[in-house]
């Protein structure tokens, strides 16, 4: 059986990042933490750290191995949430930990990794067969920084959109 794991290269503070992520995202845990036992291009034996962790059933490895390529928007972690309260809690935790808000529910954490903190219903709205309603919800989202579920529902045109699912 195959196992798919997202691999994140950190210049430094990989353990602190992983610990923050698992403390913030529900159903998450740190797994094995090891040091690379051999000298390697990133440093002498013991200087490179590997932290395995799971964020709500998705596997990750954080590698702390010095500078290479910085994180950018071509990779992000999408966190889909059920309620505005969950969005607010996670969004604020990232900002309180040195993150920077961006457009459309995106933010960069203090390590430069991009995250999308969005409601689950956003994907349903965007894929809705009534393309005019989908367009209104999408246009509303495009004008937001942190996602506002009530505003999306108003734009979509049905306050209890969740009942349709």
């Amino acid at each position: 059986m195959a196992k798919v794991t997202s691999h994140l290269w950190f210049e430094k503070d990989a353990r602190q990042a992983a610990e923050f992520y698992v403390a913030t995202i529900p159903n998450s845990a740190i797994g094995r933490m090891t040091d690379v036992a051999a000298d390697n291009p990133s440093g002498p034996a013991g200087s490179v750290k590997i932290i395995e962790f799971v964020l709500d059933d998705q596997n990750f490895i954080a590698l702390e191995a010095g500078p290479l390529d910085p994180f950018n928007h071509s990779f992000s972690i999408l966190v889909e949430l059920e309620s505005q309260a969950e969005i607010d809690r996670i969004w604020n935790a990232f900002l309180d930990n040195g993150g920077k808000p961006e457009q459309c529910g995106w933010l960069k954490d203090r390590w430069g990794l991009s995250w999308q903190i969005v409601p689950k219903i956003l994907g349903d709205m965007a894929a809705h067969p009534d393309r005019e309603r989908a367009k209104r919800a999408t246009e509303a989202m495009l004008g937001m920084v942190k996602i506002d579920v009530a505003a999306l529902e108003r734009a979509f045109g049905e306050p209890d959109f969740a009942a349709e699912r």
Side-chain angles (χ1 to χ4, degrees):
M1 264 197 177
K3 178 181 176 185
V4 176
T5 301
S6 297
H7 188 272
L8 306 170
W9 185 303
F10 288 80
E11 179 177 346
K12 60 184 179 174
D13 301 330
R15 181 177 179 163
Q16 292 90 336
E19 288 172 346
F20 171 74
Y21 301 154
V22 302
T24 304
I25 307 299
N27 305 314
S28 302
I30 298 274
R32 182 171 45 192
M33 293 189 279
T34 58
D35 299 335
V36 174
D39 291 346
N40 61 80
S42 292
S47 67
V48 175
K49 314 290 184 215
I50 300 168
I51 300 93
E52 298 175 29
F53 62 103
V54 176
L55 299 178
D56 196 24
D57 293 331
Q58 186 165 342
N59 298 306
F60 290 88
I61 290 178
L63 176 73
E64 181 177 314
L68 185 64
D69 297 318
F71 293 122
N72 63 54
H73 288 99
S74 65
F75 179 85
S76 65
I77 298 174
L78 175 73
V79 181
E80 292 182 302
L81 300 159
E82 293 290 341
S83 70
Q84 187 68 54
E86 291 176 299
I87 290 168
D88 294 346
R89 183 188 67 78
I90 291 176
W91 182 269
N92 292 334
F94 275 92
L95 296 187
D96 291 347
N97 194 45
K100 304 279 188 258
E102 297 185 335
Q103 289 297 114
C104 307
W106 287 62
L107 58 80
K108 280 200 182 269
D109 68 22
R110 76 179 207 200
W111 299 278
L113 184 59
S114 294
W115 293 75
Q116 298 177 58
I117 311 301
V118 300
K120 286 183 180 177
I121 63 166
L122 181 58
D124 295 336
M125 288 177 174
H128 197 276
D130 182 334
R131 302 314 294 155
E132 182 55 38
R133 292 172 78 193
K135 178 183 176 195
R136 289 193 311 262
T138 301
E139 287 173 342
M141 180 271 305
L142 290 170
M144 296 177 185
V145 176
K146 179 177 71 175
I147 301 299
D148 179 337
V149 175
L152 284 178
E153 289 174 336
R154 283 191 303 274
F156 188 77
E158 191 169 309
D160 67 339
F161 172 76
E164 273 188 29
R165 293 189 286 155

